[in-house]
């Protein structure tokens, strides 16, 4: 007989199969020998009381037909990793578990611009629907991309086509790989997670309340997804930056791209009557191209602020109410929000055990974000702390029309660059000093590899952001006792939380409101934020194209 039970156990009991088996037996008032099968189907940390517990939902089989006992979903505790230690080639074992896709090499081509999560999941869905994806990606494949990230971190060189945002897998590849989304209504979350598992992710992501893959594991998953697409007859063109759209009579017929692989020189044209535009929120040249071609764009609200870094041990002790988290609890995270002067101030993309990354996509700007390895074992906890920017804040930029938000964002990034010392060193200040507007005489060690420069960050931030951050950060200190400390560092700037521009599309056909066959997709177009919602929007655009061709 099978049954599902909810059980609260200690972190150690949750991590050790034999101990968990005993707990389940006690809970069901059985002898341990009566349990024939046990599987964790849901797992979350319950830190509400002083003693932190793990909440599990467990599938248990009791009685005859004993096949041997099995527990899944235990990854254990791992050692030290980082970007330079990507697990390339190590998690390709699931290849045999991957679904067989049909051959679409001679089917109708659909162009996808951008190989981020949206582009890759659009490609997989098109293959399922019997259409041939042709992906055009300005950046390099993951292995080559890594060298450009090393140059960014160590030599402060920004390659405009290959960086933390651009390249195979998009901004998702060297991201944190947190796979939670609030937009569960936008698509099938489970299906996306299953695709990741098919391509090498741990099955833990199917059971954890807050699934996470980690920067070291993501690159190989992306390589595996690439293999699936190519094996099914899809095409992926790296080093291929789209520079123009071929549009006539309000209908798209293809795109023009520039190759930078040294093999083909000059422009190349790709023809298709459906084009998915999934270029992400950092592809400013694409927004400018659309504007030049008089293809409608809209201004949208977004959020900007700073990244803050605390010692991970401090966050652990606050969240888990103990001096040390021990061997069995994951690095603790937090999520904070505060209304200040009618505007939301909130934590964004919190990375426990993580690293602050230089995410500039052009020279002369500072952009931060964060990542963490699968083990989340770095000694720092970082998070964006951002202020919602609404259209009234953009009045000063009204002369830029639809680009008002983007220019505001750019100005902040340039100012951070100037005040940080005109290199990729980021401007920074200790937390209490920032709130009291006092220059920090020194800065603690930070994870941001290009380094930090002590500045008065209020000189970098516009008043409407700086003031609200000062108030909110003090309030956060009341919600999390110990958070408001001068051992924490505020690093500028966190500017690319979401796109400041929307590319409007028909809510039913998902085609651009003006150009037939053009499918504005995901984060850059203003329809997603994060890996999961990007992947879901990619699938949705593929399905809309499938409908158009009678494939759904
Ligand atoms: C450091 C970091 C950490 C993050 N951590 C998380 C996290 O933990 N969880 C989470 O959910 N989200 C995270 N994010 C955000 C997440 O990565 C993005 O939301 C997601 O990648 C958006 O997907 P997308 O496909 O819409 O666009 P992108 O991932 O931005 O992909 C767009 C692709 O288009 C390509 N492109 C752009 N212009 C052109 C052109 N002209 N021609 C051809 N190709 C072009 C780019 O090179 C890029 O590969 C993180 C982002 C960063 C930078």
């Amino acid at each position: 007989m099978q049954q599902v039970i909810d059980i609260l156990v200690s972190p150690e009991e949750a991590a050790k199969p034999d101990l968990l088996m005993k707990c389940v037996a006690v809970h069901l008032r059985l002898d341990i020998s009566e349990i024939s099968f046990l599987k964790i189907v849901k797992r979350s940390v319950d830190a509400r009381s002083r003693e932190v517990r793990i909440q599990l939902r467990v599938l248990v089989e009791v009685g005859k037909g004993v096949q041997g006992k099995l527990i899944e979903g235990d990854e254990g505790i791992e050692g030290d990793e980082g970007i330079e230690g990507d697990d390339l080639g190590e998690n390709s074992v699931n290849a045999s578990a991957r679904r067989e896709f049909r051959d679409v090499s001679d089917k109708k081509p659909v162009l996808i611009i951008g190989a981020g999560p949206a582009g890759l999941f659009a490609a997989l869905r098109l293959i399922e629907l019997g259409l041939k994806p042709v992906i055009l990606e300005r950046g390099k494949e993951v292995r080559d991309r890594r060298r450009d990230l090393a140059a960014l971190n160590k030599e402060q060189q920004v390659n405009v086509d290959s960086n933390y945002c651009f390249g195979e897998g998009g901004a998702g590849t060297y991201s944190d790989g947190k796979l939670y989304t609030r937009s569960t209504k936008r698509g099938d979350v489970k299906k996306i997670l299953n695709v990741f598992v098919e391509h090498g992710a741990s099955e833990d992501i199917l059971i954890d309340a807050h699934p996470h893959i980690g920067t070291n594991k993501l690159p190989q998953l992306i390589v595996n997804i690439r293999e699936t697409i190519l094996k099914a007859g899809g095409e992926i063109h790296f080093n291929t930056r789209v520079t123009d759209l071929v549009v006539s009579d309000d209908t798209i017929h293809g795109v023009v791209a520039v190759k930078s692989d040294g093999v083909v020189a000059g422009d190349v044209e790709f023809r298709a009557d459906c084009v998915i535009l999934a270029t992400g929120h950092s592809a400013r040249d694409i927004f400018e191209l659309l504007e030049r071609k008089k293809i409608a764009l809209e201004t949208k609200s977004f959020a900007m602020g700073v990244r803050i870094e605390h010692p991970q041990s401090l966050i652990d002790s606050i969240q888990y109410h103990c001096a040390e988290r021990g061997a069995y609890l994951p690095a603790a995270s937090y999520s904070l929000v505060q209304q200040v002067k009618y505007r939301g101030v909130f934590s964004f993309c919190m990375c426990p055990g993580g690293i602050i990354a230089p995410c500039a996509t052009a020279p002369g700007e500072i952009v931060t974000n964060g990542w963490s390895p699968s083990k989340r074992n770095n000694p720092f906890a970082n998070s964006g702390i951002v202020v919602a920017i609404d259209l009234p804040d953009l009045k000063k930029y009204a002369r830029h029309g639809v680009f008002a938000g983007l220019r505001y964002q750019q100005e902040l990034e340039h100012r951070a660059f100037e005040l940080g010392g005109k290199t990729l060193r980021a401007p920074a200040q200790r937390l209490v000093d920032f709130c009291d507007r006092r220059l920090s005489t020194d800065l603690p060690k930070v994870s941001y590899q290009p380094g930090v420069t002590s500045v008065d960050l209020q000189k970098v931030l516009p008043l409407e952001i700086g003031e609200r951050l000062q108030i909110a950060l003090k309030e956060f200190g009341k919600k999390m006792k110990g958070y408001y400390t001068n051992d924490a560092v505020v690093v500028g700037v966190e500017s690319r939380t979401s796109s400041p521009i929307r590319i409007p599309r028909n809510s039913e056909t998902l085609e651009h409101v003006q150009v037939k066959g053009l499918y504005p997709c995901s984060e850059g177009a203003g329809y997603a934020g994060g890996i999961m919602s990007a992947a879901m929007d990619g699938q949705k655009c593929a399905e809309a194209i499938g409908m158009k061709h009678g494939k759904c």
Side-chain angles (χ1 to χ4, degrees):
M1 190 187 69
Q2 279 197 349
Q3 55 183 302
V4 174
I5 59 162
D6 290 324
I7 184 168
L8 262 182
V9 296
S10 73
E12 185 174 4
E13 286 161 347
K16 293 187 173 167
D18 51 335
L19 293 185
L20 180 59
M21 192 76 80
K22 276 187 202 151
C23 294
V24 170
V26 170
H27 183 89
L28 293 174
R29 296 190 183 147
L30 295 170
D31 187 273
I32 201 163
S33 63
E34 292 175 83
I35 298 176
S36 53
F37 175 81
L38 191 149
K39 181 179 178 176
I40 299 171
V41 289
K42 248 187 186 175
R43 178 169 53 201
S44 59
V45 177
D46 184 346
R48 283 170 299 178
S49 58
R50 290 220 71 79
E51 196 186 346
V52 181
R53 311 285 281 167
I54 306 295
Q55 175 78 53
L56 297 178
R57 178 159 292 168
V58 185
L59 175 70
V60 194
E61 191 167 293
V62 179
K64 292 175 193 139
V66 178
Q67 296 291 317
K69 293 165 186 174
L70 193 99
I71 299 191
E72 287 174 24
D74 174 37
E75 205 187 18
I77 307 294
E78 304 163 331
D80 190 47
E81 292 159 296
I83 281 211
E84 283 152 56
D86 288 349
D87 295 350
L88 277 170
E90 282 179 23
N91 51 341
S92 54
V93 284
N94 281 19
S96 59
R98 271 183 243 166
R99 269 174 298 158
E100 274 302 315
F101 285 88
R102 59 180 138 167
D103 185 352
V104 292
S105 51
D106 60 350
K107 303 294 184 210
K108 194 173 177 55
V110 173
L111 292 178
I112 300 172
I113 314 176
L120 294 176
F121 276 79
L124 293 173
R125 188 70 187 116
L126 286 171
I127 293 169
E128 284 176 343
L129 295 169
L131 294 161
K132 175 181 174 176
V134 177
I135 301 181
L136 310 180
E137 167 55 54
R138 72 193 294 163
K140 303 175 184 175
E141 57 174 82
V142 283
R143 269 174 215 274
D144 299 334
R145 196 178 163 187
R146 261 172 56 186
R147 286 189 208 114
D148 296 312
L149 299 188
L152 247 173
N153 279 304
K154 291 181 186 150
E155 292 148 38
Q156 316 218 348
Q157 284 170 15
V158 185
N159 179 328
V160 296
D161 289 315
S162 178
N163 44 58
Y164 274 94
C165 295
F166 296 159
E168 186 177 19
T173 309
Y174 291 99
S175 77
D176 198 34
K178 288 181 286 293
L179 298 180
Y180 20 108
T181 174
R182 275 184 234 119
S183 46
T184 46
K185 285 188 196 137
R186 289 196 203 162
D188 189 344
V189 171
K190 200 97 193 169
K191 184 172 174 186
I192 307 277
L193 293 177
N194 275 319
V195 171
F196 278 124
V197 171
E198 269 175 37
H199 289 90
S202 158
E203 289 196 10
D204 279 2
I205 66 169
L206 303 176
I207 62 172
D208 280 328
H210 292 108
H212 164 247
I213 293 182
T215 308
N216 54 313
K217 305 273 181 194
L218 283 158
Q220 185 60 45
L221 295 194
I222 300 296
V223 170
N224 294 346
I225 292 176
R226 182 213 305 161
E227 278 171 8
T228 295
I229 294 168
L230 295 179
K231 197 168 155 217
E235 291 176 22
I236 307 184
H237 301 259
F238 293 111
N239 305 298
T240 305
R241 176 160 32 91
V242 169
T243 52
D244 202 0
L245 307 179
V246 183
V247 179
S248 63
D249 300 328
D250 290 338
T251 304
I252 198 155
H253 306 289
V255 304
V256 177
V258 175
K259 288 255 182 197
S260 55
D261 54 7
V263 180
V264 184
D267 292 349
V268 188
E269 199 169 304
F270 293 85
R271 307 287 292 193
D273 59 13
C274 287
V275 177
I276 296 179
L277 185 64
T279 42
H281 61 26
S282 291
R284 291 171 171 164
D285 46 359
I286 285 291
F287 295 133
E288 276 154 14
L289 167 68
L290 296 177
E291 168 81 344
R292 273 200 309 279
K293 296 189 83 73
K294 303 203 175 350
I295 295 175
L297 298 171
E298 292 169 0
T299 308
K300 77 179 249 309
S301 53
F302 57 108
M304 292 198 295
V306 291
R307 202 148 262 267
I308 188 163
E309 186 163 84
H310 289 80
Q312 180 62 48
S313 54
L314 174 68
I315 300 299
D316 290 341
S317 68
I318 300 172
Q319 300 297 70
Y320 294 149
H321 340 285
C322 57
E324 263 187 44
R325 74 168 189 266
Y328 302 105
L329 279 172
S333 63
Y334 61 83
S335 169
L336 292 163
V337 60
Q338 181 71 37
Q339 280 294 117
V340 182
K341 296 187 179 174
Y342 309 106
R343 213 49 70 72
V345 182
F346 52 95
S347 56
F348 170 82
C349 190
M350 198 266 146
C351 300
I355 299 281
I356 300 180
C359 295
T361 48
E365 60 189 31
I366 297 277
V367 180
T368 62
N369 205 312
W371 60 265
S372 67
S374 58
K375 298 160 201 164
R376 287 187 156 161
N377 55 357
N378 280 296
F380 303 104
N382 72 69
S383 176
I385 303 289
V386 294
V387 180
I389 306 296
D390 281 345
L391 303 189
D393 295 319
L394 303 176
K395 273 190 204 136
K396 214 175 110 195
Y397 299 82
R399 67 183 186 286
H400 298 293
V402 80
F403 282 85
L406 198 140
R407 298 290 174 244
Y408 183 36
Q409 191 187 44
Q410 261 177 328
E411 210 172 87
L412 184 63
E413 293 167 0
H414 287 163
R415 208 159 43 235
F417 179 79
E418 293 287 324
L419 290 172
K422 300 187 183 174
T423 65
L424 282 186
R425 286 180 79 83
Q429 201 166 4
R430 287 181 183 263
L431 171 56
V432 179
D433 292 346
F434 170 70
C435 292
D436 292 348
R437 223 172 156 184
R438 188 174 49 228
L439 196 67
S440 300
T441 47
D442 63 350
L443 292 169
K445 193 171 171 353
V446 289
S447 66
Y448 180 79
Q449 273 196 45
V452 286
T453 305
S454 173
V455 303
D456 174 4
L457 270 173
Q458 295 295 348
K459 287 189 181 152
V460 177
L461 300 165
L463 194 65
E464 62 273 13
I465 295 181
E467 246 185 22
R468 286 188 173 90
L469 284 175
Q470 283 176 318
I471 297 169
L473 285 163
K474 286 185 178 168
E475 290 302 314
F476 291 164
K478 293 178 193 160
K479 295 178 186 183
M480 278 177 70
K481 296 269 172 330
Y483 185 89
Y484 185 66
T485 164
N486 234 8
D487 289 342
V489 197
V490 181
V491 181
V493 290
E494 176 88 20
S495 52
R496 308 235 184 125
T497 53
S498 66
S499 180
I501 288 183
R502 171 167 287 114
I503 311 176
R505 68 186 187 192
N506 180 297
S507 59
E508 275 166 31
T509 66
L510 305 192
E511 284 169 297
H512 186 271
V513 288
Q514 202 184 328
V515 183
K516 286 192 201 71
L518 177 63
Y519 292 79
C521 181
S522 186
E523 195 162 49
Y527 300 101
I531 296 169
M532 294 299 287
S533 60
M536 286 190 270
D537 204 55
Q539 288 186 334
K540 254 173 81 174
C541 288
E543 279 159 19
I545 292 170
M547 290 275 263
K548 190 172 174 176
H549 293 98
K551 304 277 186 185
C552 286

